[in-house]
Amino acid sequence: DAGVTQSPTHLIKTRGQHVTLRCSPISGHKSVSWYQQVLGQGPQFIFQYYEKEERGRGNFPDRFSARQFPNYSSELNVNALLLGDSALYLCASSLASGGGFYEQYFGPGTRLTVT
Amino acid sequence: AQSVTQLGSHVSVSEGALVLLRCNYSSSVPPYLFWYVQYPNQGLQLLLKYTSAATLVKGINGFEAEFKKSETSFHLTKPSAHMSDAAEYFCAVASGGYQKVTFGIGTKLQVIP
């Protein structure tokens, strides 16, 4: 079975540009979460989506947005890129949300470099 | 609010020696606790998890961790280190409701031949 897939693997953007990152969850998983991992730090929670609805949001500015599609895949969008947005962006999928905890399975990440 | 503190950003052990990576947590509700491993240029892999069942949790690759409520700790151990254990290890905590996981800053484990 395929795991969580993310695209692209790497990309380089210029300050002020916009970027879209994509994630496909494990088949059957309905929840997708996004994390930002800056070099030398642990991942920081950005969003969680379940059944196309936002279920949680971390402490990130409004330049960050996301959505989930009917097939449960997800996009993370970042507008007006700053140098500080350079990081590894991780997507994680899980079966469900709420009423306990469902194990999250992480993808390999997208490495974003902002110059 | 929930948080974890990992003591020691870098740990070095000799091959065959005991591995001990320390983690203390803070949570206002009974927590779910995890250890993840990350190899260079890869995503995170779950080593083990505590979800209020047995306090001693066994994971993959010979790792285990013990939940100690009185010490608010969840330290990761392995009796004998292998070269393949060299990686970065993250302790993490989550509470019920939505699936927000809060990670520590990570501990890089170096295994010396």
Side-chain angles (χ1 to χ4, degrees):
Chain A
D1 286 344
V4 178
T5 59
Q6 293 186 243
S7 64
T9 306
H10 297 85
L11 74 164
I12 300 173
K13 291 286 188 178
T14 303
R15 278 176 295 175
Q17 285 187 319
H18 163 90
V19 69
T20 297
L21 311 180
R22 295 177 175 81
C23 172
S24 292
I26 292 171
S27 178
H29 285 193
K30 298 181 178 181
S31 176
V32 169
S33 298
W34 287 95
Y35 294 82
Q36 180 196 63
Q37 186 179 16
V38 174
L39 195 62
Q41 296 183 21
Q44 298 289 316
F45 173 78
I46 308 175
F47 288 110
Q48 192 225 358
Y49 275 77
Y50 176 68
E51 290 283 14
K52 295 173 289 181
E53 291 187 3
E54 181 183 303
R55 291 297 185 92
R57 173 185 284 255
N59 188 24
F60 279 81
D62 292 343
R63 299 184 297 109
F64 289 76
S65 63
R67 56 179 175 169
Q68 187 177 32
F69 298 98
N71 66 353
Y72 304 110
S73 66
S74 178
E75 285 183 352
L76 175 69
N77 296 284
V78 187
N79 292 324
L81 285 167
L82 303 174
L83 294 179
D85 295 331
S86 296
L88 180 68
Y89 288 84
L90 296 165
C91 173
S93 76
S94 61
L95 276 171
S97 174
F101 188 84
Y102 296 87
E103 181 174 334
Q104 295 190 357
Y105 296 82
F106 283 81
T110 294
R111 174 73 64 186
L112 171 65
T113 302
V114 182
T115 63
Chain B
Q2 56 189 30
S3 65
V4 291
T5 301
Q6 290 186 244
L7 302 176
S9 58
H10 290 81
V11 171
S12 293
V13 300
S14 298
E15 189 175 15
L18 171 72
V19 176
L20 171 61
L21 304 182
R22 300 178 185 273
C23 173
N24 288 88
Y25 71 91
S26 173
S27 177
S28 57
V29 297
Y32 299 99
L33 293 163
F34 313 87
W35 277 98
Y36 285 87
V37 62
Q38 186 176 36
Y39 296 98
N41 299 316
Q42 294 187 25
L44 299 168
Q45 181 183 11
L46 182 67
L47 279 177
L48 49 81
K49 61 184 177 185
Y50 167 77
T51 57
S52 74
T55 56
L56 182 62
V57 182
K58 294 187 182 298
I60 62 172
N61 301 337
F63 285 93
E64 63 180 36
E66 186 172 7
F67 173 71
K68 291 187 176 180
K69 185 177 179 179
S70 61
E71 300 177 8
T72 61
S73 68
F74 191 58
H75 302 331
L76 181 71
T77 61
K78 182 174 181 178
S80 176
H82 295 167
M83 295 299 296
S84 60
D85 294 328
E88 190 157 22
Y89 292 80
F90 292 93
C91 181
V93 62
S95 55
Y98 65 89
Q99 307 291 293
K100 175 182 177 180
V101 180
T102 299
F103 288 85
I105 64 170
T107 298
K108 286 188 178 177
L109 176 66
Q110 179 186 21
V111 181
I112 304 168

